Every structure is written in C-alpha cells, then in structure tokens.
Amino acid sequence: MAKRSGGFGGGMPGNMQNLMKQAQKMQRQMEENQKALEEKTFSTQVGGGAVRLGMNGKREIVELKIDPEAVDPEDVETLEDMLKAAFGDVLKQIDEAQSSSVSSLTGGMGGFGGGLF
C-alpha cells in the first residue's frame, strides 16, 4: 500500500507547515521589533522647554530636566501639570510606536489570531 504524503499519518500537510514557518518568522520579527523599541528613546518638552522628559521603550526614565525657573513654590500646580503632560505625551509616543510595530507585522489586521496581537 502506498504511503500518503500530506495527510495526518504522513506529517503536517504542506499548508500547515507553511503556516508554522510564517508564525515562527513573525515571532522572530516581533521579538526584534520589541528589542528595538526597548532601546529607542522617546522624548518631549513642555512648558516652552521648562520640562524635558525622555523614556525608553521599556518605559524607564532616561532623562528628566526641569528648568529652575519652572520651580515656583507659590505655583506647584503648574509644574505638576507640565510633568503630567510630559509623561502623557511620551507614553502616548511609546504606545503608538508599539501599535505601529505590531500593525506592520500583521498587515493591519487588528484581531489577528483572535486578539493575540
């Protein structure tokens, strides 16, 4: 009796094997993209440069500069608002870069893999 290839008894069918290879390639690309994002610095300035903030893709602060003139004991609220704005902006940049990275791999399919990505 001839051995059937491509069936359940003869290993993975060709299409399934190709899908597995594509999934492994996508996994490697995602890992490479994640590493690149983690090493990238995202930065912003608010208050006309009174507050500068830089974070890497791991969301670790790599730079925080506050102009001494922005430190007014009578108006701490303004400095707090500038810090909130700076953090919000940098975190948004990181989120957008991560979303863009995933979209480039999945071809923009938002729910690819049942929401896996």
Side-chain angles (χ1 to χ4, degrees), residues 28-114:
R28 282 191 306 275
Q29 288 174 329
M30 287 182 71
E31 290 169 359
E32 290 169 7
N33 288 356
Q34 183 63 34
K35 184 176 180 184
L37 283 174
E38 288 175 355
E39 294 173 355
K40 183 176 179 180
T41 298
F42 300 85
S43 59
T44 192
Q45 295 184 44
V46 296
V51 173
R52 292 189 325 231
L53 174 66
M55 295 179 87
N56 62 24
K58 294 180 192 178
R59 300 173 188 260
E60 298 169 335
I61 299 170
V62 295
E63 176 190 22
L64 177 59
K65 300 285 184 187
I66 301 173
D67 186 328
E69 292 182 20
V71 182
D72 180 358
E74 301 295 319
D75 187 16
V76 174
E77 191 173 299
T78 298
L79 179 57
E80 292 170 342
D81 289 343
M82 286 190 286
L83 288 168
K84 286 188 255 182
F87 277 94
D89 185 45
V90 170
L91 292 171
K92 181 180 176 186
Q93 290 177 40
I94 294 169
D95 289 342
E96 288 173 353
Q98 289 174 334
S99 292
S100 176
S101 175
V102 170
S103 291
S104 71
L105 290 175
T106 62
M109 297 183 293
F112 181 73

Side-chain angles (χ1 to χ4, degrees), residues 3-13:
K3 188 174 185 180
R4 293 176 22 185
S5 62
F8 290 105
M12 281 194 272

